[in-house]
Amino acid sequence: MAFNGTGTFVRLYNWVTDKNNSIPITASRMDAETDGIATGLSNCITKDGQTTISANIPFNSKKITGLAVGSARTDSINVGQVQDGQFTYLGTTGGAADAYTLSPSPAITAYVASMRFWAKIAATNATATPYLQISSIGTPASDAVIKKLDASKAEIAVEASDMLINGL
C-alpha cells in the first residue's frame, strides 16, 4: 500500500494491535509490511540525487529555497540571477566596430524574436549596418543587423556613431 495517493504513508499492520488480538507475526505479514515500506521509500525523492522525478510536483504555494545559481540553459535560475540581469546583460562586445560578437555563458542556441540583451559596446559603429553575432549563431550580416526603434516603435537602421564606445 505504502502511500495513499495524498502523500500519507499507510502501514498494513499494527503490531501492537496484532499482539493484543493474539495475531502472531508471520513471515508473510512481515514481508508484506516491509515491501510496503520499500515501495514507499522508492517513491521518495532522495537527497543525494539518485531519484529521477517521474511527475510534476505540486508545491502548494511553497518556495524552493537555497537554489544554486543556474549555469546551463536547462538549469533553473534563482531570483538573484534575474535581479542581477545575469542572462540579459552579456558583458562587453568583442570583435570590431560594425562586427560585434558576444559569447555568453551558457551559450545561446538559437535566436528568438522576444530575446532582449544589454551589452557594453567595445567600439563606436562606423556604418548603418553594424551586426551583433551571439554564440556564433547565424549569418551576422543578414541575421543579426542591429536596428533601433523610431518614435512609433518601428525598426529602422542605426546611423554611424549611434553606438558609442562604452555605451550600452
Side-chain angles (χ1 to χ4, degrees):
M1 174 107 182
F3 289 104
N4 68 357
T6 64
T8 301
F9 187 87
V10 180
R11 291 183 48 207
L12 296 175
Y13 305 108
N14 182 308
W15 303 119
V16 174
T17 301
D18 286 357
K19 177 184 176 231
N20 292 338
N21 292 327
S22 299
I23 300 171
I25 297 174
T26 63
S28 63
R29 288 168 61 92
M30 194 69 186
D31 278 349
E33 187 72 22
T34 305
D35 288 346
I37 293 168
T39 299
L41 290 172
S42 295
N43 282 327
C44 293
I45 299 171
T46 55
K47 69 180 184 177
D48 67 356
Q50 292 182 58
T51 309
T52 299
I53 306 303
S54 59
N56 292 331
I57 300 173
F59 279 93
N60 195 30
S61 298
K62 303 298 182 205
K63 296 182 259 185
I64 298 173
T65 60
L67 188 62
V69 170
S71 59
R73 187 168 172 81
T74 55
D75 289 350
S76 49
I77 60 172
N78 63 38
V79 172
Q81 289 178 277
V82 174
Q83 288 176 330
D84 297 345
Q86 184 170 341
F87 299 110
T88 56
Y89 178 73
L90 302 184
T92 301
T93 60
D98 297 339
Y100 305 100
T101 61
L102 283 170
S103 299
S105 179
I108 294 163
T109 57
Y111 293 128
V112 176
S114 60
M115 287 179 160
R116 301 287 184 261
F117 300 108
W118 291 91
K120 189 174 184 180
I121 302 301
T124 299
N125 69 302
T127 71
T129 57
Y131 62 83
L132 171 63
Q133 186 176 35
I134 303 174
S135 300
S136 300
I137 299 171
T139 306
S142 59
D143 295 339
V145 173
I146 299 170
K147 303 283 186 175
K148 65 181 179 180
L149 300 178
D150 67 12
S152 67
K153 306 256 189 272
E155 286 186 2
I156 59 172
V158 296
E159 296 173 20
S161 298
D162 269 355
M163 298 169 49
L164 298 175
I165 189 170
N166 295 323
L168 294 176

